[in-house]
Amino acid sequence: MIMDLSTLIVTLFITIFIFLIANFHQRKKRGLGEVSLIPSTLIQIIALVVFVVLAAHLISTVTG
C-alpha cells in the first residue's frame, strides 16, 4: 500500500506530537523514589526512528 502525500505529512506531524508528549512526560517533576510506568525515553526513540523513516519516504516520494 502506497501512502499519498497528505497522509504522509499528517503521519509526520503525529510522530512529532507523540515525541513532544513523551518529552513533556519525561521532564515532569516526580517525588523521590517515584518511577513512571511508561518508558518515555523508549517512546521518544521509537518516534524519532519512525520520523526519520517517514522523512526518507517523503523525500523519495517528492523526488520520484
Side-chain angles (χ1 to χ4, degrees):
M1 181 170 130
I2 299 174
M3 296 176 82
D4 59 340
L5 195 58
S6 61
T7 307
L8 187 60
I9 292 173
V10 168
T11 310
L12 280 170
F13 281 122
I14 289 172
T15 57
I16 292 171
F17 184 69
I18 290 172
F19 177 83
L20 291 175
I21 288 175
N23 193 3
F24 175 74
H25 181 66
Q26 183 178 8
R27 293 174 184 264
K28 190 168 56 171
K29 293 282 187 185
R30 293 181 194 83
L32 186 61
E34 212 176 300
V35 180
S36 67
L37 296 175
I38 301 172
S40 55
T41 306
L42 180 63
I43 294 172
Q44 288 178 357
I45 292 170
I46 292 171
L48 281 177
V49 168
V50 170
F51 180 81
V52 168
V53 169
L54 288 175
H57 182 60
L58 176 67
I59 291 171
S60 69
T61 301
V62 170
T63 59

